[in-house]
Amino acid sequence: MSGYGAATLRPLAIETERRGDTAIVHLAGGATMEQADRLRDALMQVIGRSGACIVLDVQELEFISSLGLGIIVAAHLQTKQRGGSFRVAGAKSKVGEVLALTKLTRLFDLFDSVEDALRGSH
Amino acid sequence: MVDSRNKQTGNWKEMVIPSNLRAAAESERTIVAEVQRCGFSRDATFAIRLAIEEALTNAIKHGNGNDPSRRVFIRYVVDRTKAIICVRDEGNGFDVTTVPDPTAPERISLPDGRGIMLMRAYMNDVTFSEQGNEVRLVKVNQ
């Protein structure tokens, strides 16, 4: 069995692509505590070198805990402090549920898909 | 890593780990594998994994202050009806009633403080010892 209820989660995969002045960060697998440093480093690197706009694609993300949520919150704040935009795309299934429970849906700009996030339409 | 003091007392299994996230992740995988063997659903497995991760993160980070010389003590029992996991650290504990609501508007943009809330949201029962350095997590297999 694979997915959010699997005995072993897929390792966290982080891929970054650039479209115009927007950096899209695709996350897949499990953002577990063991992967927290990788997630933090990747997001900080993107914020440090990219322009102001970031789309975080979590559609394939199977797991996230408060540690990962904190890293995303910090990335969101840093991007905003630089005058940029930070959008979260594809938050469904269990990750969407965790965002709703923690009410981070009020903090983040959420979009159904990366394309919607790039267009800025919910 | 999970150290050599893994043992079993009755149905309870015990692990003692150092305060690092790699060892914590290894112990988490051990318990989740047992949860799977006992036929818990995908949703319940997700819930248990999340709660264990929150408990271990709190124990290492807040309880033991990331001090590698301090240990985390894990006891658990899993059968086809329920999973009970207890996580204890070597810190001074805390008063759980003083933990603020992380969803309050003035706290929503803080990076920390969501762990206890998530444990409570996903488990059937979450109780802390009087000292506050041990948490007991219960998930019923429904």
Side-chain angles (χ1 to χ4, degrees):
Chain A
M1 179 169 65
S2 64
Y4 68 79
T8 304
L9 293 169
R10 287 187 292 155
L12 179 66
I14 307 170
E15 287 184 17
T16 305
E17 69 170 299
R18 180 166 282 283
R19 287 199 218 171
D21 64 352
T22 300
I24 306 167
V25 182
H26 302 277
L27 302 181
T32 60
M33 55 185 164
E34 213 175 3
Q35 303 289 329
D37 285 345
R38 279 187 61 225
L39 178 60
R40 183 183 296 107
D41 291 349
L43 289 177
M44 293 306 123
Q45 197 174 29
V46 169
I47 291 167
R49 69 160 186 249
S50 75
C53 304
I54 293 173
V55 173
L56 186 67
D57 174 17
V58 298
Q59 184 152 3
E60 296 296 321
L61 191 63
E62 297 167 358
F63 178 87
I64 192 163
S65 66
S66 65
L67 204 52
L69 292 176
I71 291 166
I72 295 174
V73 168
H76 165 268
L77 291 178
Q78 286 201 24
T79 308
K80 292 280 186 182
Q81 281 165 4
R82 288 166 173 246
S85 71
F86 188 95
R87 296 168 177 173
V88 178
K92 296 164 188 158
S93 188
K94 285 294 173 184
V95 171
E97 185 180 278
V98 169
L99 290 180
L101 278 167
T102 53
K103 296 197 167 79
L104 287 172
T105 45
R106 294 179 183 173
L107 184 69
F108 298 142
D109 289 327
L110 295 171
F111 297 84
D112 286 343
S113 68
V114 168
E115 298 308 319
D116 285 348
L118 290 170
R119 282 195 299 268
S121 61
H122 292 272
Chain B
M1 302 311 142
V2 179
D3 85 2
S4 58
R5 274 165 288 184
N6 294 352
K7 62 179 184 178
Q8 184 157 357
T9 307
N11 291 329
W12 287 85
K13 294 178 180 173
E14 300 178 19
M15 293 184 274
V16 184
I17 63 168
S19 289
N20 70 66
L21 295 180
R22 187 171 294 246
E26 194 178 322
S27 61
E28 176 189 298
R29 282 193 285 271
T30 300
I31 300 171
V32 168
E34 188 137 343
V35 163
Q36 290 267 293
R37 277 196 295 274
C38 287
F40 281 70
S41 67
R42 283 163 56 98
D43 283 352
T45 302
F46 177 90
I48 292 166
R49 174 184 278 122
L50 181 59
I52 294 172
E53 184 140 337
E54 300 299 349
L56 290 173
T57 304
N58 280 351
I60 291 168
K61 195 171 161 187
H62 303 299
N64 287 346
N66 290 312
D67 179 347
S69 71
R70 289 182 166 184
R71 297 160 299 171
V72 177
F73 302 85
I74 305 162
R75 292 185 302 128
Y76 66 99
V77 58
V78 184
D79 60 30
R80 294 203 164 271
T81 63
K82 66 189 177 313
I84 306 174
I85 304 110
C86 302
V87 176
R88 178 167 58 89
D89 59 60
E90 295 191 287
N92 295 325
F94 70 108
D95 180 357
V96 70
T97 62
T98 64
V99 175
D101 176 6
T103 67
E106 69 275 13
R107 304 197 71 84
I108 194 75
S109 59
L110 297 179
D112 294 317
R114 298 178 179 86
I116 293 172
M117 181 223 167
L118 284 171
M119 283 189 262
R120 285 184 165 146
Y122 278 99
M123 300 300 273
N124 294 98
D125 188 47
V126 178
T127 49
F128 288 85
S129 63
E130 194 171 344
Q131 189 185 334
N133 69 333
E134 183 173 35
V135 63
R136 180 176 182 270
L137 309 163
V138 180
K139 187 70 177 177
V140 176
N141 189 12
Q142 292 163 321

